[in-house]
Amino acid sequence: MRPRLLAAGALIGLALSACGGGESGPASGDGGTGGSNDRLVVSSISDPKGLNPAFATATPTLELSALLFSYAVRYDDKARAVPDAVSEIPSIANGDVTDRGLTIKYKLRHGIKWHDGQGDLTCNDMKSTWKMMVNPKNIIDTTVGWNSIRDIDCRDPYVAVVHMKTVYAPFLQQLWGVNGNSPILPAHIIDKYNDANGSMNQAPFNSAPVGSGPYKFVSWQRGSRIRLEAFPQYFLGKPKIREIVYKIVPDGNTLTTQVQTHEVQIAWNLPAAQYGQLQKVSGVRTIAPVVYVFDHFDFNLTRPIFADVRVRRALTHAVDRRSLLEKVQHGLGELSPTFMDPTLYKDAYDPTVMQYPFDPLKAKALLDEAGWRTGADGVRAKNGQRFAFELSATVESNTAKAIQQQVISYWKAIGADVTVKNYPTTLYFDQTSKGTLAGGKFDVAIYAWSGAADIDQSAIYSAHFMPPQGQNYPRWRNARATAAMDDANATVDQARRIRDYKIVQQEFAKDDPSIILWFRRDVTSYPAALKGFTATPVITIPFWNPWAYHF
């Protein structure tokens, strides 16, 4: 997994996604405003910085990449890997993953055309993409996974034999995949710029890309819209909708209004408060499925006040998560006792972990047991130290502020003196020693992680990844859990990896370094008359199969 940060409730440039199942209410609007195969207007709240996903990894760029490019695989509405540029999924079972995962064979489809007419997509394109991703002169967001490749054998132009330096378990979603940011890019273009001078950083390709996906780039009116048109030579057949307009509407309420007036036909990341209203719009279906984003609190385990696990457990028991979800997110979320959601991670989720139901009496008893006694002012103290700490979030997030207000009342009820100390988003997520999270400048922090289909959580919970060099912000050190994560990353045996992550979940729940609040449900609207539409929970939002859309 390549984790992505966002402030709780903040609509920033991240891959929040939706899947076809798990609706939290009935779909709306079976009546119709109809639609046209001439044009489909979709909308995002932010303008992309660029259109090369390797260099601009915010949400809009990644969404558009699913329209413009081919990946090795895509992920469907059930988060299952399905072939895209490859003819079949590389696996141990079919013999395409061998040598314990150190050799991976990607068998490419024949006849995948580039939009500029310059030949077929081949192994050389995959190899050039890899070289671009690991060029130290390129300002790439992540090289994880890519830097585990030793070489690529392209003797057969339609078979890429990838030789790894080390086993990299999440290879499927990371290498030429949606979580590794780069799809397969055209060697005949990027080889001209991928040099020792970093020319690729400013290449014209980054704002006027040439891909091999179902739609080709036409124009970009910055801050307003991006136009794409169906590619007639697309290998699965010309898409049925002639043109897609990607419209930028930077305000969530304005976007809701444009869905209601049918100015925008597909929209996602819509405000939770608007869900009920959108369900009543004629001709529109609105769903709210579970997505790979979980809100949580991190305890800073370097703070002496949180060194005793009984204190952490008490604070967790004191939070009424179900009531909080209703008040803050209008019920649009799925409760989970672990960082694995029961809907999204059916096989890996462990329901037997230690759980912390809302129980203020249990919380008070744990604090009594830990030596924190209630004073005359209602605040507990121990050895002259008051039970006082700060609760932090981003200044910009109104949702986080609503969570803070409610949780402070929960914790006050068990004798805690909690104050709010919030920070600007840029400082909060600054991945240096100056940052709030990375620098450990917090007591308890609210934010969310956005994940992907693979179960790997080592980047955020392994003891190997302490900040600021890593993103284990609670500073959780558990030798058994770290060993299990190491083992999971050293094998492509999925059953073994799942066993490892059940150990991690058990240890995580026992140590309680974070309070997992809920996995989000994302509000997504689309025309009732649109056929073939399903959305994926894995990064590319509604666009995993846009060639199938039609009215």
Side-chain angles (χ1 to χ4, degrees):
M1 183 182 88
R2 179 178 173 272
R4 299 162 189 260
L5 287 165
L6 82 162
L11 293 175
I12 67 178
L14 297 171
L16 307 188
S17 49
C19 63
E23 298 177 13
S24 63
S28 67
D30 286 333
T33 58
S36 169
N37 285 329
D38 284 338
R39 174 182 289 188
L40 183 69
V41 180
V42 305
S43 188
S44 174
I45 60 164
S46 56
D47 196 21
K49 292 182 179 180
L51 299 180
N52 182 345
F55 292 82
T57 59
T59 301
T61 306
L62 296 171
E63 293 158 356
L64 286 160
S65 294
L67 298 165
L68 291 166
F69 298 105
S70 298
Y71 291 90
V73 303
R74 291 182 181 240
Y75 286 84
D76 69 9
D77 56 338
K78 302 294 190 299
R80 298 171 300 199
V82 294
D84 193 12
V86 297
S87 58
E88 60 181 313
I89 305 293
S91 67
I92 296 173
N94 66 14
D96 289 342
V97 178
T98 57
D99 194 18
R100 298 175 294 107
L102 291 172
T103 302
I104 306 167
K105 185 185 296 183
Y106 291 83
K107 293 180 288 196
L108 294 169
R109 301 179 194 254
H110 291 242
I112 301 178
K113 306 294 184 183
W114 291 108
H115 294 163
D116 60 0
Q118 298 299 308
D120 287 4
L121 183 153
T122 68
C123 177
N124 285 331
D125 299 302
M126 298 180 72
K127 190 168 186 175
S128 291
T129 302
W130 161 57
K131 288 181 176 180
M132 182 199 72
M133 292 299 292
V134 297
N135 183 345
K137 296 297 183 180
N138 293 335
I139 304 173
I140 299 293
D141 185 67
T142 180
T143 61
V144 173
W146 300 100
N147 56 12
S148 296
I149 297 174
R150 177 168 58 82
D151 195 15
I152 301 175
D153 182 344
C154 288
R155 281 176 287 185
D156 182 334
Y158 294 99
V159 179
V161 182
V162 180
H163 299 287
M164 308 294 290
K165 292 183 285 189
T166 57
V167 173
Y168 183 68
F171 72 89
L172 203 58
Q173 69 177 24
Q174 194 79 4
L175 304 179
W176 306 280
V178 293
N179 204 54
N181 294 340
S182 188
I184 303 171
L185 302 182
H188 66 274
I189 296 178
I190 64 175
D191 283 353
K192 299 175 184 177
Y193 299 96
N194 187 35
D195 56 29
N197 299 316
S199 301
M200 194 69 213
N201 297 310
Q202 305 300 326
F205 177 88
N206 297 340
S207 56
V210 172
S212 60
Y215 285 83
K216 63 181 181 178
F217 174 80
V218 176
S219 63
W220 181 7
Q221 185 179 346
R222 290 181 183 266
S224 177
R225 65 193 61 216
I226 296 167
R227 286 186 58 237
L228 310 174
E229 66 180 29
F231 181 46
Q233 285 79 47
Y234 183 55
F235 68 91
L236 291 178
K238 182 181 178 180
K240 298 176 178 64
I241 294 178
R242 181 182 60 82
E243 179 184 52
I244 291 182
V245 176
Y246 190 96
K247 186 178 182 181
I248 290 91
V249 182
D251 177 75
N253 291 322
T254 302
L255 182 54
T256 298
T257 299
Q258 293 196 13
V259 170
Q260 293 171 318
T261 59
H262 308 288
E263 295 171 72
V264 168
Q265 293 164 294
I266 298 180
W268 54 102
N269 291 341
L270 291 160
Q274 306 293 341
Y275 179 57
Q277 182 180 352
L278 285 166
Q279 284 193 304
K280 300 174 184 177
V281 179
S282 176
V284 172
R285 291 183 182 274
T286 298
I287 57 175
V290 183
V291 298
Y292 284 105
V293 181
F294 65 92
D295 292 288
H296 66 289
F297 300 153
D298 277 350
F299 297 112
N300 186 340
L301 300 184
T302 67
R303 297 286 196 261
I305 197 171
F306 300 125
D308 190 331
V309 70
R310 292 172 294 185
V311 171
R312 304 194 298 272
R313 290 174 177 173
L315 292 169
T316 305
H317 273 300
V319 175
D320 187 347
R321 296 184 302 144
R322 190 172 299 279
S323 175
L324 187 63
L325 177 63
E326 289 293 333
K327 292 177 180 177
V328 175
Q329 289 290 99
H330 302 270
L332 295 183
E334 183 164 273
L335 299 177
S336 175
T338 90
F339 51 76
M340 296 283 182
D341 178 77
T343 296
L344 299 173
Y345 298 101
K346 289 184 175 68
D347 294 331
Y349 168 71
D350 187 352
T352 70
V353 300
M354 181 180 291
Q355 301 195 21
Y356 301 92
F358 177 53
D359 190 343
L361 293 179
K362 176 70 172 178
K364 291 177 182 178
L366 283 166
L367 291 174
D368 288 341
E369 182 182 317
W372 293 92
R373 306 301 179 194
T374 306
D377 60 354
V379 177
R380 293 176 181 266
K382 179 180 179 180
N383 299 329
Q385 178 188 1
R386 286 168 59 83
F387 191 41
F389 53 88
E390 295 173 347
L391 178 59
S392 298
T394 60
V395 171
E396 296 86 349
S397 176
N398 290 328
T399 301
K401 291 173 186 175
I403 291 173
Q404 285 175 317
Q405 182 179 8
Q406 187 62 49
V407 170
I408 286 173
S409 70
Y410 292 149
W411 287 344
K412 181 179 179 181
I414 63 169
D417 179 13
V418 186
T419 56
V420 168
K421 186 171 179 61
N422 292 339
Y423 299 85
T425 296
T426 52
L427 180 60
Y428 200 68
F429 296 131
D430 182 351
Q431 192 58 32
T432 71
S433 59
K434 296 179 182 179
T436 305
L437 296 173
K441 303 181 190 318
F442 70 94
D443 295 332
V444 183
I446 306 172
Y447 63 104
W449 281 115
S450 176
D454 193 83
I455 61 176
D456 178 30
Q457 306 281 337
S458 60
I460 59 175
Y461 293 132
S462 168
H464 299 316
F465 296 107
M466 291 296 169
Q469 287 74 35
Q471 294 176 309
N472 181 347
Y473 296 134
R475 280 76 175 165
W476 181 47
R477 296 181 183 274
N478 181 298
R480 187 167 182 251
T482 294
M485 285 183 270
D486 288 346
D487 187 71
N489 280 340
T491 181
V492 291
D493 181 341
Q494 192 65 7
R496 176 175 154 190
R497 298 182 73 221
I498 287 173
R499 289 195 297 271
D500 285 329
Y501 266 95
K502 289 191 174 182
I503 293 171
V504 179
Q505 290 174 80
Q506 292 284 344
E507 293 299 310
F508 186 90
K510 177 171 64 69
D511 287 356
D512 200 21
S514 302
I515 302 176
I516 307 298
L517 294 175
W518 50 70
F519 278 74
R520 296 185 184 183
R521 291 183 179 272
D522 185 62
V523 179
T524 300
S525 292
Y526 63 96
L530 183 64
K531 308 301 181 184
F533 176 86
T534 57
T536 174
V538 186
I539 298 185
T540 52
I541 329 287
F543 301 133
W544 82 268
N545 65 334
W547 58 86
Y549 299 171
H550 65 96
F551 286 97

